[in-house]
Amino acid sequence: MNTELLKARQTKYVAYVTLYIVVALAVVTVANVLADRYDKSYDATANKQYSLSDQTIKVIKGLKQDATITYFAQDSQFGTAKNKLDMYANLSSKVHVVYVDPDKKPLVATQAGFKNLNTAIVQVGANKNEAKSINEEDITGAIIRDLKNTTRTICFVTGSGEHQIDDSGRSGYSRLKDLLGKDNYQGKSIDLLQKAEVPSDCTVVVVGGPRGDYQQPEVDALKKYVEDGGRALIMLDPPLKIGRDEVGDNDALTTLLASWGVTPNKDLILDFNPVGQLAGLGPQVALVTQYDSHPIVREMKGSATGFPLSRSLDTKSGDKTSVDRLFGSSESSLSTSKLDSERIDPADPKNKKGPMTIGAAGTYKGAKENSQGRFVVVGSSQWAANGFLGFNGNRDLALNALNWLSSDEDLISIRPKEPEDRKLTMTKAQVKWVGLTSLLLIPLIVIGTGISIWFRRR
């Protein structure tokens, strides 16, 4: 009787084990099938270095025709590019990735347009462009150039001390010019002093922080250009009178802007936001973390931007203009009209308390039908220079503004981010406290705990 009971129990155990094994195999099989069919991953990095940016997702999901990415490398190097390029293919069935080893398939490589190893040729429809690397900026940039198929020209005004696009120093705009090239824009300099007329091939005109005053013919040229349907980004610094390198009042240009509904004030914004101080910014840099609902800044929630040496703007729509606020300083900010002294008293009752508008966008309805001028005004110019363009969301803001001005709203988004600098910024007091804690307090706690345990055992 006991033998039969034992056999019955063994039978049950075997049945249970068999059932568990079948269920486990089924779960593993289903999981593998789902993983193979739906390639999902989670990017835990702070700035999403291993995920595609909002801009790329927007461009790829908007494809209306097939796109082929042909990557050229040796077989052993295909794995390096596969992780990145497969993310493009997983976004849309219209994206196809082809891997070609030029040494093994020279004819195929030649027909595809092979130039250098570890590069890619991106083809959308009949248009082809080279991506010089498999970085997201280069791949997405090549797709955008294929889609646009026309080069738009961004004209930077020169002649009055503006930031120069061929200047690679901290105050130059060379990095902005390079970034524009990835969106299929071409940057060039124009001088309105030599000829007071905006060239017909200019898609957008940029006035980047002139140090000197614009002459009336230059201002008239900008006025005619915008009011006839042109587009302009105008960045004006406060008219500081400190040291030898003074900034002109530029009354003629500010008067024109006032007639469009944007009045630049003769002041300097000081921002005492503690978040800015933690980021290593001084009070002369206005930190912006909140934005209005305009298309330029609509997708920038969660991004911070910084504006060194900025002035405030007053905005008002008129009969022919419609003006929208883009962003402003924090409630911890104030502005001073004392622009001729390095020593500014934050407690001066004459100071104006924030928040204050720093950026605005507007449209001008001219006499011509179906012709709408557009303009963006920012009370600072250093934020778009090489030394500050890489700060958090500054790059996205600059490119989004130019996208909107050139009627390329489909490109407005958050771009691929560069590798994040994870440096920790601390004050002297914080450094001293960390030193005392790690070198004195923690060792004392460990020693005290050891002595206490020893006495208890005694």
Side-chain angles (χ1 to χ4, degrees), residues 1-12:
M1 186 70 179
N2 292 335
T3 304
E4 292 180 359
L5 180 60
L6 181 62
K7 289 181 179 179
R9 287 180 178 176
Q10 289 177 339
T11 302
K12 289 182 179 180

Side-chain angles (χ1 to χ4, degrees), residues 397-452:
L397 177 61
L399 294 176
N400 286 354
L402 291 167
N403 290 154
W404 179 78
L405 287 168
S406 59
S407 297
D408 286 331
E409 286 90 345
D410 55 317
L411 297 183
I412 293 176
S413 190
I414 304 301
R415 271 75 179 177
K417 289 182 172 58
E418 298 176 352
E420 186 177 14
D421 186 357
R422 302 288 297 198
K423 290 188 296 185
L424 179 63
T425 304
M426 294 188 295
T427 63
K428 290 183 179 180
Q430 290 171 331
V431 171
K432 185 177 180 180
W433 173 248
V434 169
L436 289 174
T437 302
S438 58
L439 298 178
L440 183 62
L441 185 59
I442 294 178
L444 287 176
I445 292 174
V446 173
I447 293 172
T449 303
I451 293 174
S452 175

Side-chain angles (χ1 to χ4, degrees), residues 150-156 180 184-190 198-206 225 231 402 406 408:
T150 56
T151 300
R152 288 92 74 222
T153 303
I154 308 298
C155 297
F156 291 80
L180 288 170
N184 209 27
Y185 293 98
Q186 176 184 349
K188 79 170 187 178
S189 299
I190 61 173
V198 176
S200 59
D201 64 338
C202 292
T203 307
V204 178
V205 170
V206 177
Y225 173 70
R231 315 296 172 88
L402 291 167
S406 59
D408 286 331

Side-chain angles (χ1 to χ4, degrees), residues 258-334:
S259 71
W260 291 344
V262 181
T263 303
N265 296 311
K266 293 182 180 181
D267 59 5
L268 173 67
I269 294 177
L270 301 176
D271 195 343
F272 298 94
N273 190 331
V275 177
Q277 295 176 19
L278 289 176
L281 304 178
Q284 291 81 17
V285 180
L287 182 69
V288 175
T289 57
Q290 295 183 347
Y291 307 89
D292 287 57
S293 58
H294 193 276
I296 292 175
V297 293
R298 186 180 298 153
E299 298 188 37
M300 294 196 62
K301 291 180 175 63
S303 296
T305 47
F307 300 87
L309 299 177
S310 54
R311 69 197 299 176
S312 65
L313 308 173
D314 291 333
T315 60
K316 182 180 180 181
S317 297
D319 294 336
K320 294 184 178 181
T321 58
S322 176
V323 180
D324 295 310
R325 180 182 183 273
L326 296 178
F327 49 82
S329 61
S330 69
E331 294 183 355
S332 304
S333 65
L334 58 84

